[in-house]
Amino acid sequence: RQFPGGDGPSNDSAIIVGGEPSPSSALTEIYNGSSSDIDLSQYVIASCSNGCGDNTSWDYPANITFDVGTIVSAGDVYVIAHPSADAAILAQADYTGFVYLSNGNDGYCLVEGTESNYNVIDCIGDFVDSTESELTLTSPLDPPSLIV
């Protein structure tokens, strides 16, 4: 599987997982499976809507950015939730400023680096032009169950 401008997910320890218990309760989790803390300010969430049209570039190369000091401790998760999510999800959310969480036919990746020089860490969703609404995990690792 090819991702825009790259070869695919790396072997780094962060895992991106998504869930949608109800339409407005979509969430994405970034799991730090390493033994060290991760500063997310070195990363962005890049995405494509309904697949990546040309398979060489992102529709949205920096959909979500992280402030300096946004730390995910070793073994912990960073939860991105829809602002209208269920109260139980919002209670665990670290970020609620993004309403366009995937319905399954969009592709989202945790990306380290700059727009012109980056490393895809992990992805979820669909990167082929698609109108289907089926969620497809693309992680090379076995994602844990949703923490929320």
Side-chain angles (χ1 to χ4, degrees):
R1 172 169 287 211
Q2 290 287 320
F3 297 92
D7 293 329
S10 74
N11 292 323
D12 288 3
S13 298
I15 300 173
I16 189 169
V17 181
E20 190 172 3
S22 68
S24 65
S25 288
L27 63 102
T28 298
E29 294 181 344
I30 301 169
Y31 171 69
N32 178 2
S34 75
S35 59
S36 301
D37 293 350
I38 295 175
D39 182 351
L40 287 180
S41 67
Q42 306 301 309
Y43 301 82
V44 298
I45 300 289
S47 67
C48 292
S49 295
N50 300 318
C52 295
D54 63 9
N55 208 27
T56 62
S57 60
W58 303 100
D59 292 340
Y60 307 98
N63 242 342
I64 299 174
T65 59
F66 303 97
D67 293 333
V68 172
T70 303
I71 305 296
V72 183
S73 299
D76 200 4
V77 294
Y78 184 90
V79 179
I80 300 166
H82 189 284
S84 299
D86 181 88
I89 293 172
L90 291 175
Q92 298 296 317
D94 297 292
Y95 181 79
T96 59
F98 189 71
V99 298
Y100 301 106
L101 294 171
S102 181
N103 61 0
N105 62 349
D106 302 323
Y108 290 84
C109 291
L110 180 64
V111 177
E112 179 182 28
T114 66
E115 189 173 338
S116 61
N117 183 19
Y118 62 87
N119 183 32
V120 174
I121 304 300
D122 199 16
C123 299
I124 188 170
D126 192 352
F127 291 88
V128 179
D129 281 336
S130 173
T131 56
E132 297 177 20
S133 30
E134 177 182 320
L135 183 66
T136 305
L137 295 176
T138 59
S139 174
L141 307 170
D142 292 327
S145 299
L146 291 175
I147 305 300
V148 172

